[in-house]
Amino acid sequence: MPSLVHPIQIRKYKNNLHEEKQDLVAVEEPLEIRLGFGPEEERQQKSLAITMRTPGHDLELVIGFLSTEGIIQRQDEITYINHCKDHRGEESENVVRVELKPEKSLNWQDLQRHFYTNSSCGICGKASIETLEKLCPVPVSATVTVFADVLHNLPDKMRQAQNVFEYTGGLHAAALFTATGELLLMREDIGRHNALDKIIGAALSSNLVPLHSHIVVLSGRSCFELVQKAVMAGVPVVSAVGAPSSLAVKTAEKLGVTLLGFSRNNGFNVYSNAYRINENQNTK
């Protein structure tokens, strides 16, 4: 298991005094995703993306990324996934190779245009939502309801499971809960989107997707990209400790996600699809 923290010598100032001491910072490294696709006689190998992430659960991250970008719908569309080997035959920790089934259809040019649209400055919110609607034409329609007092407890449950955050204070987290508040998965990463992709990748590997009866909790704010990933995984309720963006709210409202913000201190705001919140007291 790669180290998630890195020791560093710092000078700490307080009240005009300072001391030399050792501190821990979260590790940040690039991860390249290489994709093999096409029929056996015309096989192609291309570099799909590079993301900055905290090492650990890399294969889950890649599976989740492929799923939330609409490249795969099921894990069995992948025939091979692992870290690449270097010239000495040793695993290269920062490169993962994925092979898709030969019969899996993939238009590389369309895929590149999709990534360009999602990452370019100046692309409007309307275009972003339209792109997501093409990837996921059916809104999240799960009828699950969640007790408000169950939702109050989830950020603290996630926080208690954040081992690396305790040492660095520098990692985001995403957690997957049942509708009754049972913690199923928690992942930390320097990138908010990576933490969520790791959760979704792990869930896909366990045949839990679509996550129609689950809750995702985010340690920070919510943005379009995080709601997009939730929609692709079929998550009906997303609860963020921080604030949502305007596009996150619009996307959640249009595509059927119940979006919560400021979920802390025994309260939260509901920004979309409030019908899933049960205000009665949970007696279980």
Side-chain angles (χ1 to χ4, degrees), residues 36-134:
F37 60 96
E40 295 287 1
E41 63 277 10
E42 298 177 6
R43 203 74 181 157
Q44 297 187 61
Q45 297 277 345
K46 292 186 180 290
S47 178
L48 176 65
I50 296 176
T51 184
M52 301 303 296
R53 97 305 188 193
T54 301
H57 304 289
D58 286 341
L59 303 189
E60 292 177 355
L61 168 58
V62 172
I63 293 170
F65 177 84
L66 295 177
S67 172
T68 58
E69 293 296 335
I71 296 171
I72 64 169
Q73 284 73 48
R74 306 179 311 279
Q75 190 180 3
D76 63 10
E77 294 174 310
I78 297 174
T79 60
Y80 174 88
I81 178 169
N82 211 340
H83 288 90
C84 289
K85 306 285 186 181
D86 62 19
H87 65 281
R88 294 169 296 185
E90 298 178 358
E91 278 194 357
S92 177
E93 294 182 352
N94 290 335
V95 184
V96 168
R97 176 174 150 235
V98 186
E99 294 290 333
L100 302 183
K101 282 185 173 181
E103 59 268 27
K104 174 65 179 176
S105 177
L106 185 67
N107 187 311
W108 184 258
Q109 290 184 333
D110 285 350
L111 188 61
Q112 291 299 94
R113 279 196 292 269
H114 165 65
F115 283 135
Y116 175 79
T117 299
N118 279 359
S119 62
S120 295
C121 295
I123 299 298
C124 71
K126 182 174 182 290
S128 297
I129 293 176
E130 287 175 350
T131 300
L132 178 55
E133 286 179 314
K134 290 177 182 177

Side-chain angles (χ1 to χ4, degrees), residues 164-232:
V164 181
F165 184 88
E166 286 293 332
Y167 297 106
T168 68
L171 290 181
H172 293 284
L176 183 69
F177 290 88
T178 66
T180 57
E182 178 189 356
L183 176 61
L184 299 178
L185 294 164
M186 195 284 301
R187 297 289 184 265
E188 293 178 279
D189 199 280
I190 200 79
R192 294 171 300 155
H193 57 294
N194 290 336
L196 183 52
D197 272 339
K198 288 177 179 181
I199 288 290
I200 293 172
L204 192 67
S205 298
S206 300
N207 296 316
L208 294 176
V209 176
L211 298 168
H212 285 162
S213 58
H214 296 77
I215 305 162
V216 161
V217 177
L218 307 172
S219 63
R221 62 184 177 85
S222 56
C223 60
F224 167 78
E225 186 177 23
L226 296 174
V227 175
Q228 169 198 323
K229 292 178 183 300
V231 169
M232 293 297 290

Side-chain angles (χ1 to χ4, degrees), residues 21-35:
K21 63 176 294 185
Q22 191 176 74
D23 196 11
L24 295 173
V25 294
V27 174
E28 182 178 24
E29 296 278 350
L31 179 69
E32 179 185 0
I33 303 171
R34 295 181 182 173
L35 190 63

Side-chain angles (χ1 to χ4, degrees), residues 258-269:
T258 300
L259 182 63
L260 314 181
F262 297 103
S263 296
R264 53 182 186 257
N265 301 325
N266 209 38
F268 53 81
N269 298 339

